[in-house]
Amino acid sequence: MGMAAVESQFHVLAVDDSSLDRKLIERLLQKSSCQVTTVDSGYKALEFLGIESNDPNALSTSPQEVEVNLIITDYCMPGMTGYDLLKKVKESPAFKNIPVVIMSSENVPARISRCLEEGAEEFFLKPVRMDDLNKLKPHMMKTKLNNQKLEEIEKPLNVAAAAAAVEPEITDSAEVGSKILTLQSELEPKQVHLQVAQQEEQPLGNNKRKSMEEGLSTDRSRPRFECITTGV
Amino acid sequence: MDALVAQLQMQYRNYTVSLYQQGFLDDQFTELKKLQDDASPDFVAEVLSLFFEDCVKLIGNMARALDQTGTVDFSQVGASVHQLKGSSSSVGAKRVKGLCVTFKEYCEANNYEGCVRCLQQVDIEYKALQTKLQDMFNLEKQIIQAGGKVPQVDIN
């Protein structure tokens, strides 16, 4: 991993227990010029990231040096749901800043709210389409920008300083470190202006995501496929 | 040669449009076609292959779950129906998806006869779709063999 001197592709980890849907999301992401890794369960996703999952069947490997820029996961999966995965990721100090997108075949307002409240970036109704993925372009641009900025700064620096740029801790290169942090925060508001070319307002997309026509369902504890709604 | 290609292309167009008009396919199928390109030239066929594998597997599950002497576990049937509904939705198999919606309701109502009927119907329906799509793919092959290109079919 190390320094982002080489501009790498935006890497998405896609999680879905359906092989058909995995194939679909993989193709959609490839068409959007992303690097894609697909796994068939939340447990495997955590394994891939290197987060302890407490799954007895998980391979006990040491955490891989993977850089994942976004996680997109199905909601309804056996064992660990997409929501469970979202929580685990957001609870993890190392990975909580990775944007997580939830996909679901069911339009359940309570489910959507719960996911967004837990920190999900977006909620897509299945079947997911290119239009939906276009909403993720800002995230891709932001990561690309971060990589480019880091590249520019690293050129005149030695290795130690560059390492400080990647790690949030500021050591000797305090000045450099704070410079990086300033740039990082500068990037946040700038992100909005970048989208002119690509980000067309998609009112239909928003409605699709946040349809609240149906009544709210109450939360219940979770047997295997509770995520399949009955009454709602 | 050109006359044959033109004729095959027209046949192909008409056939494809009819599949949409008769409700076999919906616009999700169109989306699948958009994802096929030189980098992934067999994408649609591969996805459909996964879909039909799902059909066989899930319908098998449903049949077993409904074949219990004694009490039927409708939630088990429902779980398979839910998955089939998802798959059919992902490929644009409109009629199959519609049947799954009805089927799901019968599961929730613990309606045995309704479920059995739906099971039979969904089995017939996915096989009918498979035949139709096979015919469509055959037409594509014929066009290519005759030296032509498979036309983009505008449904609207």
Side-chain angles (χ1 to χ4, degrees), chain A residues 19 28 54 85 106 119 122 133 137-138 182 206 215 226-227:
Chain A
S19 55
L28 282 164
N54 304 318
L85 176 60
E106 295 181 300
E122 293 277 353
L133 289 197
K137 288 248 154 89
T182 320
N206 283 338
E226 186 268 0
C227 46

Side-chain angles (χ1 to χ4, degrees), chain A residues 101-122:
Chain A
V101 172
I102 310 279
M103 307 178 277
S104 177
S105 56
E106 295 181 300
N107 181 1
V108 180
R111 174 183 298 183
I112 297 172
S113 312
R114 194 154 54 111
C115 289
L116 295 174
E117 276 160 31
E118 196 59 40
E121 214 65 35
E122 293 277 353

Side-chain angles (χ1 to χ4, degrees), chain B residues 10 14 18 21 32 56 72 83 94 130 136 138 154:
Chain B
M10 188 174 75
N14 292 341
S18 76
Q21 285 175 341
L32 286 190
V56 172
V72 170
Q83 287 185 61
K94 190 175 178 182
Q130 199 168 22
M136 194 188 78
N138 285 340
D154 186 8

Side-chain angles (χ1 to χ4, degrees), chain B residues 132-143:
Chain B
K132 294 275 179 185
L133 290 172
Q134 197 54 60
D135 290 344
M136 194 188 78
F137 282 121
N138 285 340
L139 275 170
E140 286 186 3
K141 258 192 237 161
Q142 285 177 56
I143 292 169

Side-chain angles (χ1 to χ4, degrees), chain A residues 135-174:
Chain A
K135 288 187 206 160
L136 301 180
K137 288 248 154 89
H139 295 285
M140 301 182 197
M141 286 305 300
K142 188 172 156 189
T143 304
K144 197 170 165 179
L145 252 198
N146 283 354
N147 290 345
Q148 283 173 354
K149 285 286 176 191
L150 286 168
E151 214 180 297
E152 279 163 36
I153 285 148
E154 278 154 18
K155 274 179 194 143
L157 299 177
N158 59 26
V159 175
V166 175
E167 298 294 333
E169 284 129 20
I170 301 166
T171 54
D172 297 330
S173 340

